[in-house]
Amino acid sequence: MNLHIAVLPGDGIGPEVTAGAVQVINAVAQRFDHSVTFTQADVGGASIDRYGTPLSQECLTICEKADSIILGAVGGSKWDSLPGELRPEAGLLGLRKHFELYANLRPVLLFDELRAACPLKPEFVKNGIDIMIVRELTGGMYFGKRGRIDTPDVGRSESEPESESRSGSRSESESESGSGSTKETYAFDTEAYSALEIRRIAITAFEAARLRKRRLTNVDKANVLESSRLWREIINSVKDSYPDVSLEHLYVDNASMQLIKRPSSFDVIVTSNMFGDILSDEASQIVGSIGVLPSASLGAKGKLFTFGMYEPAHGSAPDIAGKDIANPIAAILSAAMMFRYSFGLQDEASAIESAVKRALAAGFRTADIALQGENPVGTTDMTATITSFI
Ligand code: IPM
Ligand code: MG
């Protein structure tokens, strides 16, 4: 096959870990006789520094022409004081939205070789951990209306107690003359989902469950949020077409607890953008490190073998950037997902996954997964070792 991949290294450790992914992709291409062209573009902080915007037209054009995108990470303190729409993160969100990559697949797998790096007691994980988090990626609070406003009577629903909860922040003159006399600053972000947005992610999740152990857990906050009540209604209606898949519902607070208590019982988890962001970071810790968690972001009506963006679930980790100590495994496993989901090349994907396992089995560990007394290897050595097993 001729594969054309856009490479967006981004910020912090992004360039180091994407270099690892590129090296492994080249090795796979060589072994399986594919020709690969990489085109690099800036995104996030790197793009701000160069073009004054976190997502340039140049970058979008390069991505539009490619078969898939490999992305590193975005963000860093250097750009923290910029307004929201100009921050590096806006570049990543802009890409997700532009390509309507609404389905974010985050596999959470405990490698046998990394059992010792799992912080849970052995009896909690004796049956292993193998979860697929299906996170909605282009809706909810991330893309809802947001802003700041000075009117005291917005931002709270009428059914809620009005002033008591905020009495601490009221000025004296305000409490004397009643609400409205003194301006107070409010900030708001809106959680909004359409039935269509919920239905398509529900279908992705049920289909994913069908290819796995046929168990789906829906995570929402339907005891409080109206958007979650619609979410749950739609999940239940899509369930009718999947009688072979079992469905449980959990509130997000309970789900975060159950993930620790009974991680082996989960198969596929479907949840909103915000809850998925939080739960996937939590889940990464029970499999050793966020440094091993890959992700695939797919669109095009959730169909497989289509354009996608592949990125580690971790961030730009500016504190360890440029030191050759970051774990490249999440980026490398994201490349495996790219072969599997965008190109339909299962053997190539498996070759990468087993190369990672062999490197771990041979005792290679980056600092984030090394135990006390183990001598960690750097990013380039880990990458070279994995590449040698392709
Ligand atoms: C992730 C990240 C992003 C998100 C940030 C960098 C905007 O945390 O991919 O999980 O919140 O989606
Ligand atoms: Mg996150």
Side-chain angles (χ1 to χ4, degrees), residues 89 92 96 106 135 142 277:
E89 290 80 1
L92 178 58
R96 290 172 179 171
R106 298 192 162 181
R135 170 189 177 195
Y142 275 66
D277 180 45

Side-chain angles (χ1 to χ4, degrees), residues 93-381:
L93 301 184
L95 278 167
R96 290 172 179 171
K97 197 67 176 179
H98 181 81
F99 292 104
E100 247 198 291
L101 304 170
Y102 62 83
N104 184 222
L105 309 185
R106 298 192 162 181
V108 180
L109 185 68
L110 178 60
F111 290 105
D112 280 341
E113 294 79 5
L114 288 186
R115 273 181 184 253
C118 169
L120 300 182
K121 287 183 191 151
E123 66 256 36
F124 282 65
V125 291
K126 60 178 188 300
N127 295 323
I129 301 175
D130 183 359
I131 307 170
M132 178 67 88
I133 297 181
V134 177
R135 170 189 177 195
E136 200 290 327
L137 204 61
T138 50
M141 226 183 285
Y142 275 66
F143 295 94
K145 266 197 189 146
R146 68 176 47 123
R148 293 197 181 196
I149 199 158
D150 287 334
T151 320
D153 59 353
V154 298
R156 288 290 161 101
S157 87
E158 279 165 20
S159 59
E160 271 179 63
E162 217 258 301
S163 61
E164 289 83 348
S165 59
R166 283 169 287 148
S167 55
S169 64
R170 285 190 138 206
S171 69
E172 266 180 29
S173 63
E174 191 182 2
S175 35
E176 273 164 20
S177 53
S179 76
S181 61
T182 305
K183 286 197 168 172
E184 176 67 291
T185 303
Y186 288 72
F188 61 96
D189 300 270
T190 316
E191 177 79 354
Y193 269 111
S194 73
L196 181 149
E197 287 173 317
I198 304 167
R199 192 168 299 113
R200 65 187 183 180
I201 195 71
I203 291 170
T204 306
F206 276 105
E207 290 290 331
R210 216 169 228 180
L211 295 174
R212 295 170 48 100
K213 292 185 215 126
R214 297 173 183 251
R215 286 204 304 268
L216 179 62
T217 303
N218 167 49
V219 175
D220 61 32
K221 189 68 184 172
N223 50 348
V224 177
L225 304 176
E226 194 55 34
S227 52
S228 280
R229 287 190 273 272
L230 178 64
W231 180 281
R232 192 175 278 214
E233 248 170 71
I234 305 280
I235 299 275
N236 279 331
S237 72
V238 174
K239 160 81 176 91
D240 294 342
S241 309
Y242 296 86
D244 52 322
V245 177
S246 74
L247 173 66
E248 73 167 334
H249 296 288
L250 293 180
Y251 298 137
V252 63
D253 45 353
N254 187 19
S256 70
M257 197 167 76
Q258 301 303 330
L259 261 177
I260 303 290
K261 211 173 152 193
R262 52 172 177 96
S264 311
S265 73
F266 291 98
D267 180 20
V268 177
I269 293 176
V270 63
T271 192
S272 65
N273 204 344
M274 178 57 92
F275 296 158
D277 180 45
I278 298 166
L279 289 181
S280 59
D281 266 34
E282 184 194 2
S284 76
Q285 283 311 293
I286 59 175
V287 294
S289 161
I290 196 162
V292 299
L293 215 75
S295 91
S297 304
L298 304 171
K301 301 183 176 55
K303 276 197 228 106
L304 298 183
F305 315 137
T306 182
F307 183 89
M309 183 159 77
Y310 298 85
E311 51 170 317
H314 62 67
S316 58
D319 51 322
I320 59 163
K323 296 184 178 161
D324 193 38
I325 54 175
N327 191 342
I329 290 182
I332 290 170
L333 289 175
S334 300
M337 293 187 85
M338 176 185 74
F339 280 103
R340 202 177 285 294
Y341 294 109
S342 275
F343 306 146
L345 297 171
Q346 311 303 331
D347 290 346
E348 286 79 344
S350 303
I352 297 178
E353 287 155 0
S354 58
V356 168
K357 278 191 193 161
R358 284 178 69 186
L360 292 173
F364 290 86
R365 302 278 185 278
T366 41
D368 56 319
I369 47 176
L371 299 179
Q372 234 176 3
E374 280 178 340
N375 220 351
V377 296
T379 316
T380 44
D381 281 348

